Amino acid sequence: MIGYVTIGVSDLNKAKDFYTKLLADMDAKVLLDIGRLAFIGKNMGTPMLAVCEPFNKEPNHPGNGNMVALQPGSKEAVDAHYRKALELGATCDGEPGQRIPNQFYGAYVKDPDGNKLAFFHFG
């Protein structure tokens, strides 16, 4: 149902570097780059993450309550992506842990532009 999610960034090249390195083990790469906007994902037929310098040329603003949730496939992968995001310049917004017993395991970071990301696993 979701084609892509767009987040505003202040430096497109820095954002492309951050997200392609962070998501490389999920086979994500830049699929389309049109200057101020780039689509990152596995292929154009699956959900993608778009990073974009705002069209109006005003500073980007991470939305309060907005978050992109990524599902890397296991609790161990959640932990690994959390650590990798921090290594790439993200900040912690919630260490990895079981949030709902036997149902939801998650970790939260903010990317270098302040956009909130979750890595999660059901179970």
Side-chain angles (χ1 to χ4, degrees):
M1 185 160 86
I2 294 174
Y4 63 91
V5 174
T6 303
I7 56 174
V9 300
S10 59
D11 182 324
L12 188 65
N13 288 325
K14 184 176 175 182
K16 289 187 298 187
D17 185 57
F18 177 84
Y19 282 103
T20 55
K21 286 178 180 174
L22 179 63
L23 305 175
D25 67 336
M26 288 194 251
D27 298 325
K29 60 188 175 287
V30 174
L31 299 171
L32 178 63
D33 185 340
I34 59 172
R36 66 168 199 85
L37 171 71
F39 291 89
I40 299 166
K42 292 181 182 183
N43 62 62
M44 299 297 284
T46 60
M48 295 171 284
L49 174 66
V51 291
C52 141
E53 293 174 343
F55 180 77
N56 65 5
K57 306 214 187 299
E58 296 292 322
N60 67 296
H61 300 287
N64 187 25
N66 295 344
M67 179 176 67
V68 175
L70 304 165
Q71 191 171 16
S74 69
K75 291 178 182 180
E76 295 78 18
V78 167
D79 294 350
H81 280 81
Y82 168 81
R83 287 190 306 272
K84 188 173 189 179
L86 296 180
E87 291 169 10
L88 292 169
T91 56
C92 174
D93 207 44
E95 293 183 359
Q98 195 72 42
R99 302 292 195 253
I100 302 170
N102 302 316
Q103 291 184 12
F104 186 88
Y105 184 88
Y108 304 88
V109 299
K110 289 195 176 173
D111 76 5
D113 281 298
N115 296 297
K116 188 169 182 176
L117 304 174
F119 302 107
F120 75 97
H121 181 74
F122 288 122

